[in-house]
Amino acid sequence: MKLPGHDAIARQAGEHLVTHRVKLPRKVVERPIRQVVKRLVMALVVLVATALVVYADREGYRDSSDGPVDLLDAFYYATVTLSTTGYGDITPVSDSARLTNILVITPLRVLFLIILVGTTLEVLTERTREEWRLNRWRSTLRDHTVVVGFGTKGRSAIQTVCVTGLKKEQVVVVDPSSKAIDAATAEGYAGVIGDATRSDVLRRAEVHKARQIIVAPQRDDTSVLVTLTARQLNRTAKIVAAVREEENAPLLKQSGADAVITSSGAAGRLLGLSVLSPAAGMVMEDLIQQGSGLDLVERPVVRAEVGKTPRETDDLVVSVVRGHRVLGYDDPSVGTLQLTDRLITIVRATPETRITPGIRPLPPG
């Protein structure tokens, strides 16, 4: 068993103590800081324009402290006027200055207030809208797929499942890296930033309502802890986990995983097969690339196939799922097909090819 000790696990947990939050996919919009800067520049432009208008007509203004109005006084007057403070120490005394205040300064003051108040209202509206979207998302999310880890394995798993008909809105990605979650939301998936070994993080991903859970972190010890936590929160979901070392697979199955994929072992076997027969290697690679070429599909037995043998069906049957057993097409115990059986077949991928939802998880062993 090649798992780090408790110190390593604690150190890893310490590294992932990140404030977890949910991020929903959104349309491409300007970043908040850019919006604030843009509005700030607009406000400064209005301020400068007002000050220049006052300075151009400075002969029509009087300063109660020293009389004439200079450039600094013009900016001071523009500031207190636009902010509606109005101390009254600088006032327009000529008819032209008063007319300029009516026709120019007052509209600029209104524009200045619209910019500032608009920024505040937009921020509050955006927060309210985001909170509403999050609450609605949580209330409507059911039978979704949770993917822990958005690395190469997790990303490939999502792409494969989505090719078979799963909507992106039904996928939630959990990863401790904010960059990984940003990448996930950019592709249309919901994301939760945080350490998936913690139950509160998985609850934010609504794991207790999920149908499928894909565990694909970078470390085997993380896979074990995530699987244990996920199984504790959801007793019925199908959990598929990935490990690097094959000797850790039994521990993952004991932790509650329905299926365990050894990434290094699978890659090694595919390499060996390609050495022995490059053509066979190409066929296997085609089979594991869902949505193109040949696909492995699990489907129910139709009434027209009941009573036939696997060889007598129109599709190329590889295995028969009967109850909790997976039987080979040539297994004598299969006999003839029953209506409750499910078939694992090889079919030519088409836009209509879909893996039938609701596949029941098979128990280990």
Side-chain angles (χ1 to χ4, degrees):
M1 176 62 188
K2 295 185 178 178
L3 293 180
H6 294 291
D7 294 340
I9 297 176
R11 182 167 58 255
Q12 181 193 15
E15 292 172 355
H16 292 164
L17 286 178
V18 183
T19 302
H20 46 271
R21 64 183 186 277
V22 179
K23 297 186 69 175
L24 300 181
R26 56 187 305 172
K27 297 179 180 178
V28 179
V29 296
E30 285 187 312
R31 303 180 70 176
I33 185 64
R34 184 175 298 177
Q35 295 182 15
V36 173
V37 170
K38 180 185 292 186
R39 292 179 180 271
L40 181 59
V41 170
M42 293 170 60
L44 290 176
V45 169
V46 173
L47 177 63
V48 172
T50 304
L52 293 179
V53 169
V54 173
Y55 184 72
D57 195 22
R58 59 186 177 278
E59 298 298 331
Y61 293 83
R62 287 292 180 270
D63 187 348
S64 60
S65 61
D66 56 7
V69 173
D70 56 16
L71 184 60
L72 178 60
D73 293 331
F75 273 94
Y76 168 75
Y77 177 78
T79 302
V80 297
T81 299
L82 294 180
S83 63
T84 68
T85 304
Y87 293 114
D89 47 354
I90 300 178
T91 57
V93 294
S94 68
D95 291 342
S96 62
R98 291 175 177 175
L99 187 61
T100 301
N101 265 262
I102 295 173
L103 300 178
V104 180
I105 304 299
T106 299
L108 288 175
R109 179 190 298 119
V110 174
L111 179 60
F112 186 83
L113 292 175
I114 289 175
I115 293 173
L116 295 184
V117 175
T119 301
T120 303
L121 290 177
E122 185 172 347
V123 170
L124 293 176
T125 302
E126 181 64 24
R127 288 182 179 177
T128 303
R129 185 187 301 115
E130 192 66 22
E131 188 68 23
W132 180 82
R133 287 185 66 211
L134 186 58
N135 291 334
R136 183 174 179 274
W137 172 78
R138 284 174 173 164
S139 63
T140 58
L141 194 63
R142 293 287 188 283
D143 295 331
H144 57 290
T145 299
V146 176
V147 181
V148 178
F150 199 64
T152 303
K153 292 178 291 187
R155 190 188 301 262
S156 299
I158 295 176
Q159 292 173 350
T160 300
V161 176
C162 287
V163 163
T164 63
L166 182 69
K167 296 181 179 180
K168 290 185 176 182
E169 295 79 8
Q170 287 293 104
V171 176
V172 182
V173 177
V174 182
D175 198 286
S177 170
S178 59
K179 292 183 179 179
I181 295 301
D182 288 340
T185 55
E187 295 185 21
Y189 311 117
V192 177
I193 304 175
D195 182 2
T197 61
R198 299 173 56 182
S199 58
D200 55 340
V201 175
L202 291 181
R203 286 193 183 96
R204 287 183 176 268
E206 304 295 319
V207 162
H208 54 286
K209 297 186 292 184
R211 172 181 292 182
Q212 305 169 124
I213 303 171
I214 300 174
V215 183
Q218 299 298 322
R219 297 164 56 107
D220 287 4
D221 59 330
T222 304
S223 294
V224 173
L225 293 175
V226 171
T227 302
L228 280 169
T229 308
R231 181 54 76 199
Q232 182 181 21
L233 296 174
N234 192 327
R235 296 291 182 181
T236 61
K238 181 176 183 179
I239 300 180
V240 179
V243 291
R244 292 178 179 271
E245 301 295 336
E246 195 164 358
E247 61 187 49
N248 293 333
L251 180 59
L252 265 168
K253 289 186 177 181
Q254 293 175 9
S255 301
D258 297 294
V260 180
I261 306 300
T262 306
S263 56
S264 57
R269 284 188 286 272
L270 184 57
L271 285 172
L273 178 61
S274 299
V275 169
L276 296 174
S277 173
M282 291 176 61
V283 172
M284 285 300 301
E285 189 173 2
D286 185 16
L287 286 174
I288 63 178
Q289 290 181 352
Q290 200 73 27
S292 62
L294 299 175
D295 281 350
L296 276 172
V297 174
E298 180 179 342
R299 65 170 180 83
V301 171
V302 298
R303 290 189 177 275
E305 296 171 332
V306 175
K308 295 182 178 180
T309 65
R311 295 178 184 272
E312 293 175 334
T313 61
D314 294 334
D315 293 337
L316 179 59
V317 177
V318 177
S319 298
V320 177
V321 181
R322 177 170 294 170
H324 296 314
R325 297 183 299 163
V326 180
L327 306 173
Y329 72 95
D330 57 348
D331 193 317
S333 61
V334 172
T336 58
L337 297 177
Q338 304 173 9
L339 190 59
T340 56
D341 291 341
R342 300 181 70 88
L343 303 180
I344 298 177
T345 65
I346 297 178
V347 299
R348 174 66 60 182
T350 64
E352 291 76 23
T353 302
R354 294 289 184 267
I355 291 181
T356 305
I359 296 176
R360 293 172 294 176
L362 300 178

